Amino acid sequence: MTPRTKADRLWGRLMALAEIGALPGGGVNRQALSPGEIEAWRLLIGWAAEAGMEPSTDPAGNLFLTLPGRDRALPPLLMGSHIDTQPTGGKFDGAFGVLAALEAAQSLGITPARDVTVVAWMNEEGSRFAPGMMGSEAFAAVRPLAEILAARDANGTSVAEALSTLHAAFPELPCRRLGFPIAWYLEPHIEQGPLLEQHGAPIGIVTGIQGKKTWEMVVRGEEGHAGTLDMADRQDALAAFARIADAMFREVGTIDPIIKFTIGMVRLEPNAPSVVPARLTFRIDLRHPDNAVLHAAGERLEGLAASHAPPCTIKVKRLVDAPSNGFDADLRARIARAAEGLGEAAMPILSAAGHDARHMAPLCRTAMIFIPCRDGVSHAEHEWAEPAHVAAGAAVLAEVAAGLVLEPAS
């Protein structure tokens, strides 16, 4: 039986969800565990109820919407992504994956052999609480839940406090245990890069995700009067950072053409015009598809930090250490066949961005489906995906899902 997705319904839901946290420039600010996400949960749960799906959550604040199967003891097919955004995010990052999964489940038409569950992972973006992917990390036991719950946002609110507010808004929701068994995981997403658009391919068959490491580094110096303290006597945290950053960009940022090295956040204290800076905190994001190169580059970054900090001191804290991973060959072949059967051009593609699927891959057979985004833009208000590509991605997902769960249970 061929599932029949409804492109207009999917697009309408994407636009309705984008109204929650809508920004004047057309983007969305709906950060993790915010009032906006609570409102978005209500919308998703309502749509799922129309399809006969059962909502539930877990101790990490992940949302699950389950279409019951004939044999509920079997591990389910899990599909989805996330609904939180960057502060100036777009309409499609994450949201497309959740709503395409909902559309695919709703399009099956008959009771599947096993449960089909749509997931919206908690705090994939990491914009309010750092680092990101907290929900999938907790589910996959990548990080202890207690460590995740202790993280705080810029206003001092902890994940535990925000999560308590979220769960209090849905007291009737059953709470599932973290890490319940899964048969397969499928994650649709916009590419967040330009390759599919450049090649005219509406479907990307994701081969894997490049590795990622992140750090928080804190340079400590000593405050002093800008007009009286001699240059030779200063312990200037900003000057130390400038030396460190320059060395990192020169030595690590040029290792090869595909390395991605970013210093994306800098906070200076006391940040006063006539005071020698005493403390500077910065974050590093390093990515590469070759784990050996990634490891060596990470070691070099830490060495450069230590050697260029004096006379200041530096504290180095590793935040994320996620090696490159590949996705299941059989699922990738199923995606290719589904795209071909629907007349959609498809191409293999490596994900340069991180996704929750990274943490699912060690737990079960996992794959991702990409669709293009205009000019490769994401994490911006003008992020855009064409309705035809949104429809194509959902249709391919539905075909793959049907092949997995409408076959006899085994």
Side-chain angles (χ1 to χ4, degrees):
M1 178 178 178
T2 300
R4 297 191 178 277
T5 53
K6 295 184 178 179
D8 290 345
R9 177 172 63 192
L10 172 56
W11 186 261
R13 286 174 174 174
L14 271 167
M15 296 304 104
L17 184 59
E19 289 299 313
I20 302 174
L23 295 169
V28 181
N29 180 10
R30 188 177 55 243
Q31 296 184 61
L33 304 179
S34 64
E37 190 161 49
I38 291 174
E39 186 180 351
W41 271 37
R42 295 194 190 283
L43 197 60
L44 289 173
I45 290 170
W47 287 332
E50 295 172 8
M53 300 174 75
E54 303 168 350
S56 59
T57 186
D58 67 11
N62 298 311
L63 175 64
F64 303 101
L65 307 167
T66 299
L67 181 68
R70 294 193 301 273
D71 187 345
R72 307 210 64 183
L74 292 172
L77 163 64
L78 189 67
M79 306 184 289
S81 190
H82 62 97
I83 58 170
D84 67 309
T85 74
Q86 292 288 331
T88 53
K91 295 180 174 72
F92 302 92
D93 177 4
F96 161 69
V98 174
L99 294 179
L102 180 60
E103 182 61 35
Q106 193 167 355
S107 74
L108 291 175
I110 62 174
T111 302
R114 64 180 74 216
D115 287 0
V116 175
T117 298
V118 175
V119 62
W121 299 110
M122 187 271 286
N123 189 37
E124 192 273 350
E125 292 291 356
S127 57
R128 180 183 179 192
F129 301 103
M133 300 190 201
M134 285 182 169
S136 58
E137 284 192 338
F139 187 91
V142 173
R143 278 202 294 154
L145 180 61
E147 179 183 320
I148 290 170
L149 295 178
R152 294 183 180 273
D153 66 12
N155 295 319
T157 301
S158 70
V159 171
E161 292 164 344
L163 196 54
S164 177
T165 300
L166 176 84
H167 281 156
F170 301 91
E172 74 287 353
L173 244 59
C175 189
R176 308 180 70 160
R177 70 176 178 87
L178 287 169
F180 57 82
I182 303 166
W184 308 276
Y185 176 68
L186 298 172
E187 182 166 356
H189 209 279
I190 59 171
E191 180 195 346
Q192 301 181 290
L195 297 181
L196 293 179
E197 185 178 58
Q198 290 172 358
H199 288 82
I203 301 297
I205 305 167
V206 185
T207 57
I209 300 175
Q210 72 174 341
K212 174 182 177 180
K213 292 177 180 282
T214 68
W215 293 260
E216 180 178 85
M217 298 191 181
V218 181
V219 182
R220 293 181 183 272
E222 190 172 290
E223 290 182 26
H225 193 294
T228 62
L229 187 61
D230 288 344
M231 297 297 288
D233 296 331
R234 295 185 180 193
Q235 296 181 41
D236 186 330
L238 179 59
F241 167 71
R243 293 191 298 271
I244 294 166
D246 177 63
M248 288 179 171
F249 276 105
R250 282 187 292 104
E251 293 197 31
V252 175
T254 59
I255 284 175
D256 65 28
I258 61 173
I259 197 160
K260 305 293 190 298
F261 167 70
T262 306
I263 297 176
M265 185 278 284
V266 177
R267 184 171 64 249
L268 184 66
E269 300 170 67
N271 203 25
S274 296
V275 180
V276 175
R279 177 185 171 106
L280 188 143
T281 303
F282 65 106
R283 292 273 180 93
I284 293 173
D285 184 307
L286 180 70
R287 307 187 196 212
H288 198 280
D290 185 315
N291 287 323
V293 174
L294 183 67
H295 176 74
E299 293 289 312
R300 186 63 185 137
L301 283 177
E302 294 186 5
L304 291 169
S307 62
H308 289 277
C312 297
T313 62
I314 189 163
K315 181 180 179 182
V316 175
K317 181 180 180 182
R318 297 178 182 180
L319 299 177
V320 172
D321 188 357
S324 295
N325 69 278
F327 289 133
D328 183 78
D330 175 67
L331 289 178
R332 286 158 50 192
R334 287 174 180 263
I335 295 167
R337 289 196 298 270
E340 183 179 12
L342 291 167
E344 302 288 356
M347 61 177 279
I349 185 170
L350 175 72
S351 177
H355 300 283
D356 294 299
R358 181 199 298 281
H359 301 309
M360 296 300 105
L363 303 184
C364 64
R365 293 162 61 187
T366 296
M368 292 191 71
I369 299 169
F370 276 174
I371 63 169
C373 51
R374 187 167 59 200
D375 298 326
V377 171
S378 184
H379 286 190
E381 289 197 62
H382 59 291
E383 171 187 282
W384 185 256
E386 293 298 329
H389 296 157
V390 167
V396 169
L397 176 67
E399 286 286 339
V400 175
L404 294 171
V405 302
L406 297 186
E407 296 171 351
S410 60

